[in-house]
Amino acid sequence: MDNVKFPERRTRVAAQRDREFQRALDRMFQANETITARSVSRSVSGFSAATSITRDEWRSAQLAEWIKRQSHLRKIQEQADKQSKPKLLAKLEQKETRIRELEQTVDILLSSHRAMIHAVGEVGGMKAWLKFYEKHQAIQEKLSDIGAIPSSVISISSNSDK
């Protein structure tokens, strides 16, 4: 509810009702109660009927968004219920293993990239390397951010700017 942009209302009571409406939506969502205009209007004091929600553009949009969220959550829960816990745990373990493998691959590629750049520098090819990356500044910055460029090269490239 912190990032909800509430509309300007003519009265403080209407503004308070909007906040109570939002709290009711959140509570119903958390409790997995079916969210409808009628059910929300019953749980918010001051709303005499569902039309108190559906006639107001902001409230109607909020209601539609929360119904969509609830539908999405229920669909996920339904899919999870169809799969057994052991299957879900096995799937999770597979994903975690894949993530570890990818992280190891990235570490290896970073190390080999640093070594390659260092070797290019030792044989005097740094000017050509830096010239190539002048045209691809975003790539050079990303490589620098992830630590793929040795610090000696970073100092050379910053000196060439002057």
Side-chain angles (χ1 to χ4, degrees):
M1 196 164 95
D2 296 332
N3 57 0
V4 175
K5 178 130 173 75
F6 290 96
E8 292 284 326
R9 297 293 183 184
R10 285 186 268 183
T11 67
R12 202 173 338 161
V13 172
Q16 289 172 339
R17 206 169 282 144
D18 285 342
R19 283 169 174 49
E20 188 177 341
F21 167 72
Q22 197 67 34
R23 283 191 295 274
L25 288 170
D26 187 48
R27 181 188 45 74
M28 292 175 79
F29 181 80
Q30 297 298 328
N32 200 20
E33 293 177 34
T34 300
I35 297 173
T36 64
R38 179 168 288 161
S39 65
V40 176
S41 67
R42 279 192 226 120
S43 67
V44 176
S45 63
F47 286 167
S48 56
T51 56
S52 300
I53 296 168
T54 58
R55 284 183 306 190
D56 183 275
E57 188 177 321
W58 180 82
R59 289 177 188 150
S60 184
Q62 288 295 306
L63 178 69
E65 177 63 32
W66 281 88
I67 289 172
K68 183 178 167 186
R69 285 183 194 173
Q70 188 173 58
S71 173
H72 180 68
L73 177 67
R74 286 180 174 176
K75 190 179 290 185
I76 290 171
Q77 287 173 334
E78 186 179 307
Q79 289 171 349
D81 288 344
K82 288 180 183 177
Q83 298 178 6
S84 67
K85 271 192 177 179
K87 281 185 181 176
L88 286 173
L89 290 173
K91 204 178 221 182
L92 180 61
E93 182 59 34
Q94 285 176 338
K95 300 283 184 192
E96 288 175 348
T97 300
R98 180 70 177 139
I99 289 169
R100 281 192 301 274
E101 290 170 355
L102 290 171
E103 286 173 342
Q104 289 173 345
T105 301
V106 167
D107 289 342
I108 291 167
L109 290 172
L110 283 172
S111 297
S112 66
H113 200 86
R114 275 191 218 104
M116 183 265 316
I117 292 172
H118 189 72
V120 167
E122 284 183 355
V123 295
M126 283 312 298
K127 281 189 178 185
W129 187 86
L130 290 170
K131 189 173 183 175
F132 170 77
Y133 277 106
E134 282 177 1
K135 298 174 190 164
H136 306 283
Q137 191 65 36
I139 294 172
Q140 184 179 8
E141 289 172 6
K142 183 65 176 176
L143 289 171
S144 179
D145 290 346
I146 64 172
I149 301 175
S151 57
S152 59
V153 174
I154 294 170
S155 62
I156 292 171
S157 65
S158 60
N159 288 340
S160 67
D161 293 341
K162 296 177 182 171

